[in-house]
């Protein structure tokens, strides 16, 4: 086969395909059909030229042309980094803002339960005594509470905390499909545990130590857990009361949005894990002053809330729901 003759014969088709690919956003119906037909034809030409092995330059030219035409036919996909940027500037904060009353209400309720538990224990000697022997409680107050943040290397401790909190948050979201009842159990367990620890420490005059070592990481960490709980409760309520949507469609939409929340919380909990491992741990060891640790924790919490209520609000007002485009009307089932 004479490659020069082949190229001369088909050059008008190649030129036309290049023109259509360049104008892909302004093509009418007939031109789109022509673009698809030429793309298929030139793909065949590329195979012929490549198999001949006579002209590498022409192979490279046709390969680039076919690639541009393929993008025009199928639609060029955004880069992975652009997808990640869009997730954290629209999807994740938009869903958090849309569901804000669920997780704000969950936060208020769980904080109240923890406070009531702590007050009950701190002001009731009989209850405090029932939690353990005086020696056991003294060991916890004087040593174990602070040592928890120092007994492991900082990096491995941060990773352990991150993994544990991510699992708790995932449970809170996933259990929403059981009408949210297991989600409530997870939240209550965590709130009561915090309340018990606070009650013991306050009863022995060590409330400043408790707050100084819990709050630096706990503000962001508990916010993330309560967000997961609020989303799980929203899923449960959607099953009970889907509104004007079918139950399966409503569940599908909220479940897909919940997946976005779960993915975003992985990053939030990673940050809180770093704070717990590196900031709280060093504060417990006396390397970082408690006020500095509290300031770092407060800054992280404020930045997160500002992110949700500015970036998230804007995304929500622009119509972001957290659902995917062209989504099915029900959640996938095995």
């Amino acid at each position: 086969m004479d490659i020069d003759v082949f190229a001369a014969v088909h050059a008008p088709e190649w030129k036309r395909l290049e023109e259509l690919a360049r104008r892909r956003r302004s093509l009418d119906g007939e031109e789109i059909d022509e673009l698809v037909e030429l793309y298929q034809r030139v793909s065949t030409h590329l195979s012929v030229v490549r198999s001949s092995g006579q002209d590498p330059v022409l192979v490279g030219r046709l390969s680039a042309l076919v690639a541009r035409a393929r993008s025009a036919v199928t639609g060029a996909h955004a880069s992975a980094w652009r997808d990640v940027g869009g997730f954290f500037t629209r999807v994740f904060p938009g869903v958090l803002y849309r569901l804000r009353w669920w997780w704000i209400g969950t936060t208020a309720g769980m904080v109240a339960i923890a406070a009531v538990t702590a007050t009950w224990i701190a002001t009731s000697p009989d209850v405090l005594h029932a939690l353990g022997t005086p020696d056991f409680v003294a060991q916890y107050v004087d040593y174990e509470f602070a040592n928890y943040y120092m007994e492991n290397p900082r990096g491995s401790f941060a990773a352990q905390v991150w993994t544990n909190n991510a699992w708790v948050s995932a449970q809170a979201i996933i259990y929403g499909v059981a009408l949210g009842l297991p989600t409530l159990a997870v939240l209550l367990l965590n709130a009561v545990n915090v309340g018990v620890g606070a009650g013991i420490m306050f009863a022995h005059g060590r409330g400043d130590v408790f707050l100084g070592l819990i709050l630096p990481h706990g503000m962001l960490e508990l916010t993330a857990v309560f967000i997961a709980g609020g989303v799980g409760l929203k899923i449960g309520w959607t099953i009970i009361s889907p509104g004007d949507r079918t139950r399966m469609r409503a569940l599908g939409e909220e479940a897909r949005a919940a997946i976005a929340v779960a993915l975003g919380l992985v990053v939030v909990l990673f940050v809180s894990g770093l704070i717990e491992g590196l900031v709280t741990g060093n504060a417990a060891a006396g390397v970082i002053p408690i006020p500095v640790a509290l300031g770092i924790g407060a800054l992280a919490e404020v930045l997160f809330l500002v992110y949700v209520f500015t970036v998230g609000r804007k995304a929500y007002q622009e119509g972001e729901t957290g659902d995917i485009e062209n989504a099915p009307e029900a959640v996938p089932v095995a």
Side-chain angles (χ1 to χ4, degrees), residues 133-275:
T133 65
D135 290 341
F136 173 82
V137 173
Q139 177 77 358
Y140 175 82
V141 172
D142 297 331
Y143 176 74
E144 290 185 2
F145 180 79
N147 189 64
Y148 168 76
Y149 300 102
M150 300 183 292
E151 60 186 358
N152 294 308
R154 302 287 186 264
S156 62
F157 178 63
Q160 177 185 349
V161 167
W162 177 33
T163 303
N164 178 72
N165 291 333
W167 173 238
V168 171
S169 298
Q171 286 179 308
I173 292 176
I174 294 170
Y175 289 158
V177 298
L179 303 183
L181 297 178
T183 298
L184 275 177
V186 170
L187 293 171
L188 288 171
L189 178 62
N190 281 272
V192 170
N193 284 340
V194 171
V196 168
I200 293 173
M201 295 296 286
F202 273 90
H204 290 81
R206 304 298 297 277
D208 57 335
V209 175
F210 176 83
L211 295 177
L213 296 182
I214 282 289
L215 290 180
H217 64 275
M219 287 184 280
L220 188 60
E221 175 186 297
L222 291 176
T223 297
V225 172
F226 294 150
I227 285 173
V231 172
L233 294 177
K234 170 61 174 174
I235 292 175
W237 182 250
T238 297
I239 298 174
I240 297 171
S241 178
D244 57 358
R245 302 170 291 180
T246 65
R247 183 167 280 101
M248 291 305 296
R249 177 182 176 181
L251 178 58
E253 291 174 356
E254 295 302 335
R256 289 188 292 268
I259 292 173
V261 173
L263 292 175
L265 288 182
V266 169
V267 177
V268 177
L269 290 168
F270 176 73
V271 174
S272 72
L274 287 179
I275 295 174

Side-chain angles (χ1 to χ4, degrees), residues 1-4 6-7 14 44-59 62:
M1 182 182 68
D2 190 325
I3 290 297
D4 292 335
F6 184 85
W14 301 344
T44 302
H45 297 166
L46 173 60
S47 298
V48 172
V49 173
R50 182 180 288 139
S51 62
S52 71
Q54 299 180 39
D55 194 337
V57 175
L58 182 57
V59 170
L62 290 181

Side-chain angles (χ1 to χ4, degrees), residues 20-57:
L20 293 174
R22 187 172 58 251
R23 296 193 300 107
R24 62 184 183 274
R25 298 185 184 280
S26 59
L27 301 180
D28 58 28
E30 292 183 1
E31 289 175 325
I32 292 174
D33 291 339
E34 184 182 4
L35 169 66
V36 174
E37 181 181 351
L38 284 174
Y39 162 65
Q40 295 171 337
R41 195 180 303 169
V42 176
S43 296
T44 302
H45 297 166
L46 173 60
S47 298
V48 172
V49 173
R50 182 180 288 139
S51 62
S52 71
Q54 299 180 39
D55 194 337
V57 175

Side-chain angles (χ1 to χ4, degrees), residues 94-115:
V95 177
L96 293 186
Y97 186 82
R98 177 172 70 85
L99 301 177
R100 62 194 182 280
W101 296 119
W102 282 92
W103 56 266
I104 288 174
T106 299
T107 300
M110 293 304 109
V111 168
I113 290 172

